[in-house]
Amino acid sequence: DTAVSQTPKYLVTQMGNDKSIKCEQNLGHDTMYWYKQDSKKFLKIMFSYNNKELIINETVPNRFSPKSPDKAHLNLHINSLELGDSAVYFCASSQAIGAGGRNEQFFGPGTRLTVL
Amino acid sequence: AQKITQTQPGMFVQEKEAVTLDCTYDTSDQSYGLFWYKQPSSGEMIFLIYQGSYDEQNATEGRYSLNFQKARKSANLVISASQLGDSAMYFCAMRETLWAGNMLTFGGGTRLMVKP
């Protein structure tokens, strides 16, 4: 059983388009995240979403918006795509913030977005 | 300033030997957690090991151990008896105060290559 899944795995699109990446977790976790990994493999947090509370990394452009229809899903919408948005996007999940201890994050397989 | 620094962009190790991957961190928080993740060429992120800032003993998970030196702010990963399957990118990450969305800050990664 896949713990954290993302669709699509690959996404190729033109500049200016709007696209979405879906994420689902079946771990019963309360917190979900989106990370961006650039071409140099650097990973950066974009959002954290816990119990309807959204925490945003201030460096993320407002063209990016997470949407959570329920606790098991956190989708990423990107408007007006730019060349610099090309990257691998990872969804992750963990137990609730404040759970303490290890509370490691489980990552999805990633979505490779290419903007032409 | 970099919060997580991994000074070794790439390393080679002979199969069956031990290898240490360096990680230094910077935080003013008293309570924080340090993580190591592995990213094979297939792209997924795999959790390896965790060390809490208040843990008195170094963490161990099978062939992985963490050499935690709090005063030096270092959390080096030691892999014993390297295997060919250990060839991958390795990321050190830090989770600071729990209110900050439980988000992880990653280092730039170290690419480990195991030679047969």
Side-chain angles (χ1 to χ4, degrees), chain A residues 44-85:
Chain A
K44 194 170 186 180
I45 181 70
M46 299 176 71
F47 306 101
S48 165
Y49 195 88
N50 179 75
N51 193 26
K52 300 185 181 180
E53 181 186 9
L54 176 64
I55 299 176
I56 305 171
N57 184 325
E58 60 188 13
T59 66
V60 176
N62 57 14
R63 298 181 294 103
F64 290 80
S65 57
K67 289 185 170 49
S68 180
D70 55 57
K71 201 173 80 167
H73 297 83
L74 183 67
N75 304 325
L76 181 65
H77 296 269
I78 316 169
N79 294 325
S80 302
L81 278 155
E82 300 178 357
L83 294 176
D85 298 333

Side-chain angles (χ1 to χ4, degrees), chain A residues 9 31 33 35 37 40-43 45 47-48 55 90 94-95 97-98 101-105 107 109, chain B residues 2 35 37 39 42-45 47 50 61 89 91 95 98-108 111:
Chain A
K9 188 165 176 62
T31 308
Y33 314 82
Y35 288 87
Q37 186 173 42
K40 296 185 178 179
K41 298 289 189 182
F42 186 68
L43 272 154
I45 181 70
F47 306 101
S48 165
I55 299 176
F90 285 97
S94 73
Q95 294 176 2
I97 296 170
R102 195 166 89 177
N103 196 12
E104 75 270 30
Q105 295 180 19
F107 283 74
Chain B
Q2 291 272 25
F35 300 79
Y37 281 83
Q39 186 177 40
S42 50
E44 71 269 31
M45 296 287 291
F47 165 75
Y50 163 81
E61 294 276 356
M89 285 287 291
F91 292 95
R95 181 185 69 210
L98 294 176
W99 60 265
N102 206 46
M103 292 186 266
L104 294 177
T105 303
F106 282 86
R111 182 176 296 281

Side-chain angles (χ1 to χ4, degrees), chain B residues 7 10-11 31 40 48 55 63 81 86 92 97 106 113:
Chain B
T7 56
M11 288 189 71
S31 177
L48 294 179
D55 293 342
R63 294 187 298 111
D86 294 334
C92 180
T97 51
F106 282 86
M113 290 152 283

